[in-house]
Amino acid sequence: MKKILITGGAGFVGSHLCERLLNEGNEVICLDNFFTGSKKNILKFLDNPYFELVRHDVTHPYFVEVDEIYNLACPASPIHYQYNPIKTIKTSVVGAVNMLGLAKRVNAKILQASTSEVYGDPHVHPQKEDYWGNVNPIGLRSCYDEGKRCAETLFMDYHHQNNVNIKIIRIFNTYGSNMNPNDGRVVSNFIVQALKGEDITMFGDGTQTRSFQYVDDLVEGMIRMMNSPNDFLGPVNLGNPNEFTMLELAETIIKLTNSTSKIIFMPLPKDDPKQRQPDISLAKEKLNGWEPKIQLEEGLQKTISYFKDILNEA
């Protein structure tokens, strides 16, 4: 049994990771300040004697004895990370310093949940880990993009200077149950609008592309990365390489929900990437052949079922 700390553990991805690690027989400490995380996501674990919930903000130091740390704390959707951009970048940067300091003190292995946003609006397609990115350092999205880029720098420097055992993953668009219906991400937006019969809001002309990964595939990749040999630090892309336009996504969701929704077009937000697709050859090579197993329609059906239940409760 390992003692594992998950920052942002009550969030969308964090709650799935909590469940998987508990099911594997570990002791899990879930750290969250509930800015975007939800107690609903982790209610079912509260009676588990090996699960501990701590309300805490990672911008303040936290002291505990653990074997591993998954650092997921940070709002990940534009509507939330742009709400308080200074808080967002502090969460990424100061939070990384605090968690790396903890890992150094207790000799824990630590994984940083970075993001495909470090590639910005890419000039290279698909994106490989050796691409340095095309990021606006003073734009609306930069609090998130640059915060995550700086966190990667800190992880590497703590490794080189203090020999901290680090892992870095770059997460591409992920969806699934436990998403907040109002989180502003494209999959949840489109599904909720389709289920309500509202117009589906398409930003831009719908030709921009994304690659969508179901959350179970991501969690599998995260755990494989944490358990990979110590000499493999990353960064490594975790995403589904199948690329879809926003129009294809909207039309698939309308079909799967039998919705009468119409698609309406709005201006594209500033610095919104035109293309996003991971090259996952490094993950396949280093993480025992890891690749996504759940493709878009299957994952969307699971997610639509979850949102139907959420909307019925409301």
Coordinates of all heavy atoms in Angstrom, one line a residue, residues 219-259:
V219 N -6.3 8.5 -17.0 CA -6.0 8.0 -15.7 C -5.0 6.8 -15.9 O -4.0 6.7 -15.1 CB -7.2 7.6 -14.9 CG1 -6.8 6.8 -13.7 CG2 -8.0 8.9 -14.5
E220 N -5.3 5.9 -16.8 CA -4.4 4.8 -17.1 C -3.0 5.3 -17.4 O -2.0 4.8 -16.9 CB -4.9 3.9 -18.2 CG -4.1 2.8 -18.6 CD -3.9 1.7 -17.6 OE1 -4.8 1.5 -16.7 OE2 -2.8 1.0 -17.6
G221 N -2.9 6.3 -18.3 CA -1.6 6.9 -18.7 C -0.9 7.5 -17.6 O 0.3 7.4 -17.4
M222 N -1.6 8.2 -16.7 CA -1.0 8.9 -15.5 C -0.4 7.9 -14.6 O 0.7 8.1 -14.1 CB -2.1 9.7 -14.8 CG -2.6 10.9 -15.5 SD -4.0 11.6 -14.7 CE -3.2 12.7 -13.6
I223 N -1.1 6.8 -14.3 CA -0.6 5.8 -13.4 C 0.6 5.1 -14.0 O 1.6 4.9 -13.4 CB -1.7 4.8 -13.0 CG1 -2.7 5.6 -12.1 CG2 -1.1 3.6 -12.3 CD1 -3.9 4.8 -11.8
R224 N 0.6 4.8 -15.3 CA 1.7 4.2 -16.0 C 2.9 5.1 -16.0 O 4.1 4.7 -15.8 CB 1.4 3.8 -17.4 CG 0.4 2.7 -17.6 CD 0.4 2.2 -19.0 NE -0.7 1.2 -19.2 CZ -0.8 0.5 -20.3 NH1 0.1 0.5 -21.3 NH2 -1.8 -0.3 -20.5
M225 N 2.7 6.4 -16.1 CA 3.8 7.4 -16.1 C 4.4 7.4 -14.7 O 5.6 7.4 -14.5 CB 3.3 8.8 -16.5 CG 4.4 9.8 -16.5 SD 5.8 9.4 -17.6 CE 6.8 10.9 -17.5
M226 N 3.6 7.5 -13.6 CA 4.1 7.5 -12.3 C 4.9 6.2 -12.0 O 5.9 6.3 -11.3 CB 2.9 7.6 -11.3 CG 3.3 7.7 -9.8 SD 4.3 9.2 -9.4 CE 3.0 10.3 -8.8
N227 N 4.5 5.1 -12.5 CA 5.2 3.8 -12.3 C 6.3 3.5 -13.3 O 7.0 2.5 -13.2 CB 4.2 2.7 -12.3 CG 3.2 2.8 -11.2 OD1 3.5 3.4 -10.1 ND2 2.0 2.3 -11.4
S228 N 6.6 4.5 -14.2 CA 7.6 4.2 -15.2 C 9.0 4.4 -14.6 O 9.2 4.9 -13.5 CB 7.5 5.2 -16.4 OG 7.7 6.5 -15.9
P229 N 10.1 3.9 -15.2 CA 11.4 3.9 -14.7 C 11.8 5.4 -14.3 O 11.4 6.3 -15.0 CB 12.3 3.4 -15.8 CG 11.4 2.5 -16.6 CD 10.0 3.1 -16.5
N230 N 12.6 5.5 -13.3 CA 13.0 6.8 -12.7 C 13.7 7.7 -13.7 O 13.8 8.9 -13.6 CB 13.8 6.7 -11.4 CG 12.9 6.2 -10.3 OD1 11.7 6.2 -10.4 ND2 13.6 5.8 -9.2
D231 N 14.4 7.1 -14.7 CA 15.1 7.9 -15.7 C 14.3 8.5 -16.8 O 14.8 9.2 -17.6 CB 16.3 7.0 -16.3 CG 15.8 5.8 -17.0 OD1 14.6 5.5 -17.0 OD2 16.7 5.2 -17.7
F232 N 13.0 8.1 -16.8 CA 12.1 8.7 -17.8 C 11.3 9.8 -17.0 O 10.4 9.5 -16.3 CB 11.2 7.7 -18.4 CG 10.2 8.3 -19.4 CD1 10.7 9.1 -20.5 CD2 8.8 8.1 -19.3 CE1 9.8 9.7 -21.4 CE2 8.0 8.7 -20.2 CZ 8.5 9.5 -21.2
L233 N 11.6 11.1 -17.3 CA 11.0 12.2 -16.6 C 9.8 12.8 -17.4 O 8.9 13.4 -16.8 CB 12.0 13.3 -16.4 CG 13.4 12.9 -15.8 CD1 14.3 14.2 -15.7 CD2 13.3 12.3 -14.5
G234 N 9.8 12.6 -18.7 CA 8.9 13.3 -19.5 C 9.5 14.6 -20.0 O 10.7 14.7 -19.8
P235 N 8.7 15.5 -20.5 CA 7.3 15.5 -20.6 C 6.8 14.5 -21.6 O 7.6 14.2 -22.6 CB 6.9 16.9 -21.0 CG 8.2 17.4 -21.7 CD 9.3 16.8 -21.0
V236 N 5.6 14.0 -21.4 CA 5.0 13.0 -22.4 C 3.6 13.4 -22.6 O 2.9 13.8 -21.7 CB 5.2 11.6 -21.8 CG1 4.4 11.4 -20.5 CG2 4.7 10.6 -22.9
N237 N 3.2 13.4 -23.9 CA 1.8 13.7 -24.3 C 0.9 12.6 -23.9 O 1.2 11.4 -24.2 CB 1.7 13.9 -25.8 CG 2.4 15.1 -26.3 OD1 2.6 16.1 -25.6 ND2 2.8 15.1 -27.6
L238 N -0.2 12.9 -23.3 CA -1.3 11.9 -23.1 C -2.6 12.5 -23.7 O -3.1 13.5 -23.2 CB -1.5 11.7 -21.6 CG -0.4 11.0 -20.8 CD1 -0.8 10.8 -19.3 CD2 0.0 9.7 -21.4
G239 N -3.0 11.9 -24.8 CA -4.2 12.4 -25.5 C -4.6 11.3 -26.5 O -3.9 10.4 -26.8
N240 N -5.7 11.6 -27.2 CA -6.2 10.7 -28.2 C -5.8 11.4 -29.6 O -6.2 12.5 -29.8 CB -7.7 10.5 -28.1 CG -8.2 9.4 -29.1 OD1 -7.8 9.3 -30.2 ND2 -9.1 8.6 -28.6
P241 N -5.0 10.7 -30.4 CA -4.6 11.3 -31.6 C -5.6 11.5 -32.7 O -5.4 12.2 -33.7 CB -3.4 10.4 -32.1 CG -3.8 9.1 -31.5 CD -4.4 9.4 -30.2
N242 N -6.8 10.9 -32.5 CA -7.9 11.1 -33.5 C -8.4 12.5 -33.5 O -8.8 13.0 -32.4 CB -9.0 10.1 -33.3 CG -8.6 8.7 -33.6 OD1 -7.7 8.5 -34.4 ND2 -9.2 7.7 -32.9
E243 N -8.3 13.2 -34.6 CA -8.6 14.7 -34.7 C -10.0 14.9 -35.3 O -10.4 14.3 -36.3 CB -7.5 15.3 -35.5 CG -7.5 16.8 -35.6 CD -6.4 17.3 -36.5 OE1 -5.8 16.5 -37.3 OE2 -6.1 18.5 -36.4
F244 N -10.7 15.8 -34.7 CA -12.1 16.1 -35.2 C -12.2 17.7 -35.2 O -11.7 18.4 -34.4 CB -13.1 15.6 -34.2 CG -13.1 14.1 -34.1 CD1 -12.4 13.4 -33.2 CD2 -13.9 13.3 -35.0 CE1 -12.3 12.1 -33.1 CE2 -13.9 11.9 -34.9 CZ -13.1 11.3 -33.9
T245 N -13.0 18.1 -36.2 CA -13.4 19.5 -36.2 C -14.5 19.8 -35.2 O -15.2 18.8 -34.8 CB -13.9 20.0 -37.6 OG1 -15.2 19.4 -37.8 CG2 -12.9 19.7 -38.7
M246 N -14.6 21.0 -34.8 CA -15.7 21.4 -33.8 C -17.1 21.1 -34.4 O -18.0 20.7 -33.7 CB -15.6 22.8 -33.4 CG -14.3 23.2 -32.7 SD -14.2 22.4 -31.0 CE -13.3 21.0 -31.4
L247 N -17.2 21.3 -35.7 CA -18.5 20.9 -36.4 C -18.8 19.4 -36.3 O -19.9 19.0 -36.0 CB -18.4 21.4 -37.9 CG -18.9 22.8 -38.1 CD1 -18.7 23.1 -39.6 CD2 -20.4 23.0 -37.7
E248 N -17.8 18.6 -36.5 CA -17.9 17.2 -36.4 C -18.4 16.8 -35.0 O -19.3 15.9 -34.8 CB -16.7 16.4 -36.8 CG -16.4 16.4 -38.3 CD -15.0 15.8 -38.6 OE1 -14.0 16.1 -37.9 OE2 -14.9 15.1 -39.6
L249 N -17.7 17.4 -34.0 CA -18.1 17.1 -32.6 C -19.5 17.5 -32.4 O -20.3 16.7 -31.8 CB -17.2 17.9 -31.7 CG -17.5 17.7 -30.2 CD1 -17.3 16.3 -29.7 CD2 -16.7 18.7 -29.3
A250 N -19.9 18.7 -32.8 CA -21.3 19.2 -32.5 C -22.3 18.3 -33.2 O -23.4 17.9 -32.6 CB -21.5 20.6 -33.0
E251 N -22.0 17.9 -34.5 CA -23.0 17.1 -35.2 C -23.1 15.7 -34.6 O -24.2 15.1 -34.6 CB -22.6 17.0 -36.7 CG -22.8 18.3 -37.4 CD -22.0 18.4 -38.7 OE1 -21.2 17.5 -39.0 OE2 -22.2 19.5 -39.4
T252 N -22.0 15.1 -34.1 CA -22.0 13.8 -33.5 C -22.9 13.9 -32.2 O -23.7 13.0 -31.9 CB -20.6 13.3 -33.1 OG1 -19.8 13.3 -34.3 CG2 -20.6 12.0 -32.5
I253 N -22.7 14.9 -31.4 CA -23.5 15.1 -30.1 C -24.9 15.2 -30.4 O -25.8 14.6 -29.7 CB -22.9 16.2 -29.3 CG1 -21.5 15.8 -28.7 CG2 -23.9 16.6 -28.2 CD1 -20.8 16.9 -28.0
I254 N -25.3 16.0 -31.4 CA -26.7 16.2 -31.8 C -27.3 14.9 -32.2 O -28.4 14.5 -31.8 CB -26.8 17.2 -33.0 CG1 -26.5 18.6 -32.5 CG2 -28.2 17.2 -33.6 CD1 -26.4 19.7 -33.5
K255 N -26.5 14.1 -33.0 CA -27.0 12.7 -33.4 C -27.2 11.8 -32.2 O -28.3 11.2 -32.0 CB -26.0 12.1 -34.4 CG -26.4 10.7 -34.9 CD -25.3 10.1 -35.7 CE -24.2 9.5 -34.9 NZ -23.2 8.8 -35.6
L256 N -26.2 11.8 -31.3 CA -26.3 10.8 -30.2 C -27.4 11.2 -29.1 O -27.9 10.4 -28.4 CB -24.9 10.7 -29.5 CG -23.8 10.1 -30.3 CD1 -22.5 10.2 -29.5 CD2 -24.1 8.7 -30.6
T257 N -27.7 12.5 -29.1 CA -28.7 12.9 -28.1 C -30.1 13.1 -28.7 O -31.1 13.4 -28.0 CB -28.4 14.3 -27.5 OG1 -28.1 15.3 -28.6 CG2 -27.1 14.2 -26.6
N258 N -30.2 12.8 -30.0 CA -31.5 13.0 -30.8 C -32.0 14.4 -30.5 O -33.2 14.6 -30.3 CB -32.5 12.0 -30.4 CG -32.1 10.5 -30.7 OD1 -31.7 10.3 -31.8 ND2 -32.2 9.6 -29.8
S259 N -31.1 15.4 -30.6 CA -31.5 16.7 -30.2 C -32.0 17.5 -31.4 O -31.7 17.2 -32.6 CB -30.3 17.5 -29.6 OG -30.6 18.8 -29.3

